[in-house]
Amino acid sequence: MKLLRFGAPGQERPGLLDGEGRVRDLSAHVSDIGPDMLDPTSLGRLAALDPQDLPLVDGQPQQDLRLGACVAGVGKFLAIGLNYACHAAETGMEAPAEPVIFTKWTSSITGPDDSLHLPHGSTAADWEVELGVVIGTTAKNIAESEAMEHVAGFCVVNDLSERDWQLRRGGTWDKGKGHDGFGPIGPWLVTRDEIADPGNLRLWLDLDGERMQDGSTQSMIFGVARLVAECSRYGTLHPGDIITTGTPAGVGMGMKPPRYLQAGQEMRLGIEGLGSQCQRVIAG
């Protein structure tokens, strides 16, 4: 299934994408796409529905029908740094011996096609296309071999970053990672059964039509199961939590000279089987 949330900001309703690429309204069956319906039993009930029996929503998704973040009520938005050796190399950092974990503020979460308003004073905003993992059931100190049982599905994430504040303002990376709008997720949550191998997905990002990132999750240093198990070691994972798993080479800070986002630019990004996003950059 491809689950989504549609409507104006703050008024999103739950839906799913049917086989013709149209949105069907799930409001009669669930209140939202959130933590209380991401377990296998709840997802199974939704999967048993015939999309043709659900109300058809007017408009074409991501054209004249806005989509919100594909998951509501996210408790933790965890991120993995330097998880592609090619990205670590372009930043001048060593590939890590174990996963680098940091957090993005949940207030950064936004819809997949919402405009990015640069923070006031930002001079080094950067892009990062990433595979997002959505937790479906509670996980604490789990083994890597059982980690995938706790995953509800996957989504596209743009792990936007303000590099100056991330790296040169002291403290942890969080200062440059959690600004409003710095966490577009979606367009949809694709349930785990639809993705045969999350470790073999192509991901890409274009800036004003120029291909900046073009990689594969095959290049991840630590795979999805390892990351879920590792995160569960340091804190309990709850349904609706999101882990975004790192980015391949091609970010702005790795270029010579560096290239950062400017007002008026447009990012398009996507992952094989998970859909695409588009964000227009607006001055802060």
Side-chain angles (χ1 to χ4, degrees), residues 254-278:
M255 298 179 180
K256 296 181 174 45
R259 292 175 59 180
Y260 294 121
L261 293 169
Q262 305 294 322
Q265 292 183 311
E266 182 179 83
M267 291 171 284
R268 291 186 178 272
L269 58 146
I271 301 178
E272 177 185 358
L274 300 182
S276 62
Q277 304 182 353
C278 178

Side-chain angles (χ1 to χ4, degrees), residues 15-260:
L16 62 77
L17 196 72
D18 67 17
E20 289 73 48
R22 302 294 302 274
V23 173
R24 299 285 175 162
D25 194 339
L26 283 172
S27 297
H29 300 274
V30 292
S31 60
D32 210 339
I33 308 298
D36 61 351
M37 53 74 56
L38 295 174
D39 62 277
T41 299
S42 299
L43 292 176
R45 283 197 292 266
L46 294 183
L49 299 173
D50 184 346
Q52 301 303 314
D53 293 336
L54 299 171
L56 182 64
V57 178
D58 290 337
Q60 192 66 25
Q62 300 187 277
Q63 294 182 24
D64 55 351
L65 176 62
R66 177 189 176 270
L67 299 184
C70 60
V71 181
V74 176
K76 289 189 289 295
F77 193 4
L78 303 176
I80 308 300
L82 306 175
N83 196 30
Y84 290 70
C86 55
H87 174 56
E90 72 175 345
T91 64
M93 302 180 191
E94 292 186 6
E98 61 179 73
V100 175
I101 302 172
F102 61 95
T103 60
K104 292 176 73 74
W105 295 11
T106 55
S107 54
S108 72
I109 293 174
T110 189
D113 306 306
D114 292 344
S115 294
L116 170 66
H117 292 262
L118 294 172
H120 180 71
S122 170
T123 59
D126 204 350
W127 56 85
E128 294 189 10
V129 59
E130 303 195 3
L131 171 67
V133 180
V134 181
I135 300 300
T137 56
T138 300
K140 174 66 174 176
N141 284 326
I142 59 170
E144 185 174 343
S145 60
E146 61 179 303
M148 296 306 294
E149 300 172 13
H150 296 272
V151 174
F154 306 94
C155 63
V156 181
V157 176
N158 192 352
D159 175 20
L160 291 153
S161 313
E162 214 303 334
R163 300 299 189 188
D164 183 55
W165 301 342
Q166 175 191 355
L167 301 172
R168 288 181 283 276
R169 292 293 184 94
T172 65
W173 289 1
D174 298 39
K175 289 181 179 179
K177 292 286 190 174
H179 299 279
D180 291 356
F182 271 34
I185 63 171
W188 20 81
L189 162 61
V190 181
T191 51
R192 178 163 51 94
D193 59 292
E194 289 205 9
I195 303 300
D197 183 5
N200 186 22
L201 300 174
R202 177 171 170 263
L203 62 172
W204 55 271
L205 183 145
D206 293 345
L207 181 65
D208 289 341
E210 179 182 357
R211 183 58 46 94
M212 311 303 285
Q213 293 185 274
D214 194 353
S216 170
T217 57
Q218 284 185 320
S219 300
M220 289 196 297
I221 298 171
F222 307 106
V224 170
R226 170 69 186 277
L227 294 175
V228 173
E230 193 82 11
C231 288
S232 81
R233 179 180 303 172
Y234 303 111
T236 302
L237 297 175
H238 296 286
D241 288 350
I242 294 176
I243 303 170
T244 188
T245 58
T247 198
V251 301
M253 74 174 292
M255 298 179 180
K256 296 181 174 45
R259 292 175 59 180
Y260 294 121

Side-chain angles (χ1 to χ4, degrees), residues 1-17:
M1 285 184 297
K2 293 180 174 66
L3 300 173
L4 54 87
R5 301 171 64 247
F6 65 92
Q11 302 176 39
E12 292 91 347
R13 297 167 63 181
L16 62 77
L17 196 72

